[in-house]
Every structure is written in C-alpha cells, then in structure tokens.
C-alpha cells in the first residue's frame, strides 16, 4: 500500500485540530506534521507540539533555504509546513497536514499522493459558539475568523472530500474510511 499525505483544511473552529489529534491517537501509524508559525502560542500550547513558534526572521530564512513545502499568511502571521519531517515520515507512514485551503492546493502541486479533505462545521452559529467556548481569541479576532469562513467553504469544490464535523467520532470514522479507501487505490 502506498503512503499518502492527508490534508485537513476548513474554517477556524470547524474542529481540524481536535480531529487530527483523535486520528493520531486512534491510528499510531499516522504522523501529524507540526507546522511553523510566527503567531504567539495560545494558553497551553507548547513549542514543538501544536506548532514550532518562531520569529519572522527565522521564518523568512526557512523560506529562503527552501525548508518549507508551502506557507501562507493568515491574520497577520505566517504559517508553513516544514519539508524535512514530512519527506522523512512519508517513507514509511502516512502524514496528516492541518493547513489552510491555499496551502492544501499548493501541496497538491508538489506531491502526487495527496488527499484533500475539507472539514466543515454543522452551521455558522455552531462554529461561532465553538470559538467562543474555546476561549483562545478575543471576540474581535473571532469575528475576523468568521469573515473568512465563506471563502474557505467556497474552496471546498476543489477538495476531494468534505466531512461535516457534527459528531466528533462520526467525523473521525469517516476520515478513517477515506484514508483506507485512498491507500488501497491503484496509482
Ligand atoms: P480548528 O482546529 O478547526 O480551529 P478546534 O479543533 O480547535 O478547531 O475546535 C474548536 C473548538 O470546538 C474546540 O474547543 C473543540 O473542543 C470544539 N469541538 C471540536 N469538534 C467538536 C464537535 N464535534 N462537537 C463539539 N465541539 C467540538
Ligand atoms: P490557528 O492560528 O487557528 O492555529 O491557525 C490559523 C490557520 O492557519 C488555520 O486555517 C490553519 O489550518 C492554518 N495553518 C496552520 N498551519 C499551517 C501551515 O503549515 N500552512 C498553511 N498554509 N496554513 C496553516
């Protein structure tokens, strides 16, 4: 069976991070790629776990040295996928990337075995409630993230699958089925 890159994208608050963590817990053969970002850590986030938290100069030098598979800017910060770990892990495992829609479409241009999965919330009201409950951004920042939702949802037409994250375990199981199906496909 071939090893694949599984990209999870979707609006902020849709549940990408929660789903990615569950997938890795339930499937030890999956590796979750840790991105680099210039944004500040949220309460409880640790360097090397949720992200590599780096400065703008270090980020720029990664770009200049071709150290990133892709990168983009969101909400005034940079986010990018480090190349070395992904390439190394793909030799014997499947790798999950939790990145935005433009990042996902860029990755497809560089790797052949990529599955693009859009995670969507059951409703706009529910995603706003989840972001408020998560309590990691001010209301002003939550509203900025809400404004970007329609753009991200619009891009789902270019993705291979869309999964609604209503019940967490059902969403995780759907993604596990997709991975199984894609891994068994002929090249
Ligand atoms: P994202 O990574 O897409 O920004 P998170 O994974 O941080 O989203 O989820 C946003 C919030 O919603 C978190 O507080 C998380 O615990 C909660 N959440 C995620 N999935 C569900 C779900 N299926 N039902 C209810 N709450 C959820
Ligand atoms: P957050 O600040 O909520 O952790 O992430 C903001 C956005 O950045 C999310 O849409 C998330 O998917 C995206 N993101 C996280 N890591 C990367 C990455 O490495 N590359 C790209 N292009 N987007 C990323």
């Amino acid at each position: 069976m071939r090893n694949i890159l599984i990209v999870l994208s979707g609006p902020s608050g849709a549940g990408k991070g929660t789903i990615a963590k569950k997938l890795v817990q339930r499937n030890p053969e999956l590796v979750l790629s840790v991105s680099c970002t210039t944004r500040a850590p949220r309460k409880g986030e640790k360097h090397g776990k949720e992200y590599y938290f780096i400065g703008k100069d270090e980020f720029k030098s990664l770009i200049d040295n071709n150290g990133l598979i892709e990168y983009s800017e969101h909400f005034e910060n940079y986010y990018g996928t480090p190349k070395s770990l992904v390439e190394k892990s793909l030799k014997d495992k499947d790798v999950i990337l939790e990145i935005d829609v433009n990042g996902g479409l860029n990755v497809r241009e560089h790797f052949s075995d990529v599955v693009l999965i859009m995670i969507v919330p059951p409703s706009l009201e529910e995603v706003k409630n989840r972001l408020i409950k998560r309590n990691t951004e001010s209301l002003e920042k939550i509203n900025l993230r809400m404004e970007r939702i329609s753009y991200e949802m619009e891009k789902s037409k270019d993705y291979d699958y869309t999964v609604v994250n209503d019940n967490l375990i059902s969403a995780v199981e759907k993604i596990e089925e997709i991975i199984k199906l894609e891994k068994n496909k002929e090249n």
Side-chain angles (χ1 to χ4, degrees):
M1 260 188 291
R2 66 207 182 114
N3 296 324
I4 56 174
L5 258 181
I6 302 133
V7 175
L8 302 182
S9 303
S12 189
K16 304 175 296 290
T18 310
I19 287 177
K21 278 193 195 119
K22 262 273 173 291
L23 279 170
V24 173
Q25 260 173 25
R26 287 163 53 113
N27 302 277
E29 70 283 8
L30 294 176
V31 174
L32 180 58
S33 159
V34 178
S35 296
C36 300
T37 182
T38 60
R39 88 150 158 75
R42 293 179 186 137
K43 201 164 163 247
E45 287 184 331
K46 296 216 164 49
H47 181 74
K49 191 160 175 262
E50 282 77 12
Y51 285 103
Y52 294 106
F53 296 99
I54 60 177
K56 286 205 166 137
D57 288 345
E58 203 180 332
F59 199 96
K60 193 171 173 301
S61 117
L62 274 173
I63 299 172
D64 293 344
N65 293 306
N66 201 21
L68 299 175
I69 292 174
E70 60 73 41
Y71 68 94
S72 55
E73 192 186 349
H74 306 279
F75 316 114
E76 297 175 350
N77 281 302
Y78 291 96
Y79 294 76
T81 309
K83 195 183 257 182
S84 53
L85 178 89
V86 170
E87 288 185 347
K88 197 166 137 231
S89 304
L90 269 180
K91 291 198 174 114
D92 51 1
K93 303 225 176 186
D94 301 308
V95 179
I96 302 181
L97 303 182
E98 190 217 313
I99 62 178
D100 86 310
V101 282
N102 294 319
L105 296 170
N106 279 337
V107 168
R108 168 161 279 165
E109 293 192 359
H110 293 98
F111 288 85
S112 50
D113 291 333
V114 179
V115 186
L116 300 179
I117 304 174
M118 185 68 67
I119 311 287
V120 296
S123 67
L124 287 179
E125 200 188 0
E126 170 65 9
V127 79
K128 189 159 186 181
N129 285 340
R130 285 183 190 173
L131 286 173
I132 292 170
K133 235 164 117 187
R134 189 170 74 180
N135 201 19
T136 51
E137 272 89 21
S138 63
L139 198 55
E140 187 195 348
K141 285 201 170 149
I142 289 179
N143 286 333
L144 273 179
R145 283 164 188 256
M146 293 296 299
E147 279 169 23
R148 203 183 139 87
I149 289 186
S150 53
Y151 171 79
E152 303 246 354
M153 303 278 263
E154 224 277 308
K155 290 265 176 176
S156 65
K157 65 178 185 339
D158 298 322
Y159 266 51
D160 302 312
Y161 299 92
T162 297
V163 172
V164 181
N165 177 22
D166 191 347
N167 175 281
L168 177 64
I169 296 304
S170 311
V172 168
E173 284 173 354
K174 271 188 203 128
I175 295 171
E176 287 171 347
E177 276 168 34
I178 293 170
I179 295 173
K180 208 163 137 198
L181 185 91
E182 290 290 330
K183 277 181 72 67
N184 282 306
K185 265 189 189 167
E186 295 291 321
N187 266 342

